[in-house]
Amino acid sequence: MDQNLTQPRMKSLLFFTPYAGRTGSEMFLWYMFSRFDRTLIKANLISECQGELLHQMPEDIGTFVTLKYPGRMARIAHSFSRAMGVNKYEDHLMKLHRSVKPDYWYLNTVQMTDKTALARKQGIPVIAHFHELTTDYSLVSYQQLKDTIDYATLCIADSKAVYERLQVLGAKNIALQYECIDCSKINPDPSRSAAIKKELGLGSFDFIWLMSGTSIHRKGVDMVPQLAGLLKEQNAAVVWLGNNTRSGMDLMIEKELAHKGLDNVRFLGKKVEDYYHYMNVMDGFVLTSREEPFGMVVVEALLLGKPVVSFNAGGVAEIVTPGTGSIVNSWNISDLAAAMKDIATGKTPFDAATATARAKDFDVSVQVNNWHKILTAL
């Protein structure tokens, strides 16, 4: 039989992403780009910003930066062009489209739904990959989200929680594709972690909990002072790895901790170079998020053999299984602290080997095969 009759036709995809930074949704693309089958998929990437991941892409991935955030002189030129009925931003996108001739535009994150109107006008099929539950939908307009749900050939959800949200929105063709990590890249040096623990002055605590993410309301950073007070009674500490840009929320929390005399909290920056060494300082991972579509940091913690405690905030409940941690179904901070105590004291069973094995279900080598199936079925 002719092999060409059974081999799926190669799909050419033009990916759109907002920052090319180290967000979970964008790291997903980076992991996939390093592993996907080049006989099945051809990829090019457009970013709205000159992010660090653009410089770490495989050589066969064409990368481009849009004109969405032009400099001062370019903004003036754009204004004159718009006055004459010319949209330089859209013209640039179409020029890039014609240069790579993709079969589909792949809109990575809800923030890229502003491209749907142009794709529809030009008759370009769209794949929309949703890494968000509800809160981030406020970042786009009513019409942008509606157009994408109505027009997209395929909507991809990064968890069952997001899948159900897309069903409510009325998406017609939905596929489930979990986020992933590259387990082979996560090998922290225990001696480096021990040195960090000493540097942070954490040696006197019985148990160290780590959180990771941007210090914003959705991530539950405002809960830290109350949680810290409850953990103080357990002689436990909290370390938060997060963004380097501090907001008024950070000031409020800093002052509240000082007012209450709580010295068991450390807020740190991103720590990109030493990230996994810092993660490995922890005895357990706690997620205070009010909403978490998936939870890549949860998978990273499990891979390191650490227990996870989290509110039932979305996709995280699909990751944490018996023996790997605890999901708290209330939104009561006291209940969260009690679950953390049960893990720390061994009252709630935990097995490090089970946690590590669970994390490996989300390794890129596993998840890329599902991604192949989704895209070749188009």
Side-chain angles (χ1 to χ4, degrees):
M1 180 182 291
D2 187 345
Q3 292 298 311
N4 291 329
L5 296 179
T6 59
Q7 179 70 16
R9 184 179 71 84
M10 178 186 286
K11 300 293 193 308
S12 176
L13 305 176
L14 180 56
F15 292 82
F16 289 80
T17 202
Y19 312 112
R22 290 186 175 273
T23 62
S25 58
E26 296 187 298
M27 288 298 292
F28 169 82
L29 286 188
W30 186 50
Y31 289 136
M32 288 299 173
F33 286 166
S34 67
R35 295 293 187 93
F36 73 80
D37 186 338
R38 266 59 178 173
T39 68
L40 298 177
I41 302 166
K42 179 183 178 183
N44 288 276
L45 174 70
I46 292 179
S47 174
E48 304 281 32
C49 299
Q50 191 70 250
E52 62 180 293
L53 292 185
L54 290 181
H55 308 294
Q56 300 177 31
M57 290 290 171
E59 291 183 359
D60 64 327
I61 308 294
T63 59
F64 310 92
V65 179
T66 71
L67 301 176
K68 188 167 187 177
Y69 302 110
R72 180 174 176 273
M73 295 306 295
R75 286 198 299 271
I76 294 172
H78 285 197
S79 297
F80 279 115
S81 297
R82 282 195 296 271
M84 299 175 65
V86 176
N87 188 318
K88 293 181 73 67
Y89 174 69
E90 291 188 353
D91 285 353
H92 184 230
L93 294 185
M94 290 310 302
K95 180 180 179 180
L96 294 176
H97 172 84
R98 288 189 293 270
S99 71
V100 301
K101 299 179 175 62
D103 299 307
Y104 296 88
W105 282 8
Y106 191 115
L107 309 183
N108 190 48
T109 81
V110 71
Q111 293 181 64
M112 297 295 95
T113 57
D114 64 335
K115 313 295 182 290
T116 302
L118 177 61
R120 190 172 201 165
K121 182 170 68 175
Q122 298 293 337
I124 303 167
V126 161
I127 300 166
H129 194 150
F130 288 85
H131 304 260
E132 303 86 7
L133 276 169
T134 301
T135 304
D136 287 342
Y137 293 169
S138 63
L139 299 174
V140 299
S141 73
Y142 177 104
Q143 199 61 45
Q144 286 167 348
L145 182 57
K146 184 178 185 304
D147 284 349
T148 302
I149 293 296
D150 292 344
Y151 179 68
T153 299
L154 172 68
C155 291
I156 300 177
D158 79 341
S159 66
K160 292 177 183 176
V162 174
Y163 191 107
E164 292 169 2
R165 183 54 49 197
L166 292 176
Q167 287 180 312
V168 171
L169 282 166
K172 299 177 287 297
N173 185 22
I174 314 172
L176 175 63
Q177 172 61 66
Y178 284 118
E179 307 282 4
C180 59
I181 63 172
D182 188 343
C183 296
S184 68
K185 303 291 186 183
I186 303 176
N187 298 294
D189 179 355
S191 63
R192 176 64 182 134
S193 295
I196 290 171
K197 182 177 181 178
K198 184 176 181 180
E199 289 169 12
L200 295 175
L202 297 171
S204 64
F205 294 102
D206 294 335
F207 206 92
I208 300 168
W209 292 94
L210 184 132
M211 307 179 194
S212 181
T214 308
S215 53
I216 56 176
H217 185 264
R218 180 172 70 82
K219 294 289 187 179
V221 68
D222 55 298
M223 302 181 195
V224 168
Q226 183 181 345
L227 181 61
L230 295 169
L231 292 180
K232 185 77 170 177
E233 300 170 9
Q234 303 175 24
N235 194 35
V238 175
V239 176
W240 189 300
L241 293 180
N243 57 310
N244 292 322
T245 303
R246 308 187 73 199
S247 71
M249 176 81 76
D250 296 293
L251 176 63
M252 182 194 75
I253 292 166
E254 182 182 290
K255 294 296 184 182
E256 187 173 353
L257 289 169
H259 178 73
K260 294 181 176 180
L262 296 170
D263 61 355
N264 60 333
V265 178
R266 307 286 189 274
F267 279 98
L268 309 178
K270 287 185 178 181
K271 305 298 179 184
V272 173
E273 297 301 323
D274 268 342
Y275 178 71
Y276 293 115
H277 295 124
Y278 275 88
M279 283 198 79
N280 204 39
V281 168
M282 67 177 165
D283 298 303
F285 185 87
V286 60
L287 197 70
T288 53
S289 295
R290 293 178 167 88
E291 186 177 279
E292 197 67 43
F294 177 72
M296 186 180 292
V297 291
V298 169
V299 178
E300 293 171 331
L302 293 179
L303 184 70
L304 293 173
K306 312 296 183 179
V308 171
V309 176
S310 172
F311 288 124
N312 192 352
V316 62
E318 299 166 40
I319 303 170
V320 177
T321 54
T324 68
S326 182
I327 297 294
V328 177
N329 288 312
S330 77
W331 290 100
N332 189 307
I333 299 175
S334 296
D335 292 343
L336 187 72
M340 295 164 74
K341 182 178 181 180
D342 287 346
I343 286 286
T345 59
K347 183 177 180 180
T348 297
F350 170 75
D351 181 68
T354 299
T356 298
R358 178 56 177 155
K360 289 180 179 178
D361 290 338
F362 302 98
D363 185 66
V364 61
S365 63
V366 175
Q367 294 301 322
V368 73
N369 294 323
N370 185 62
W371 201 54
H372 286 153
K373 291 176 183 177
I374 290 171
L375 297 179
T376 55
L378 290 167

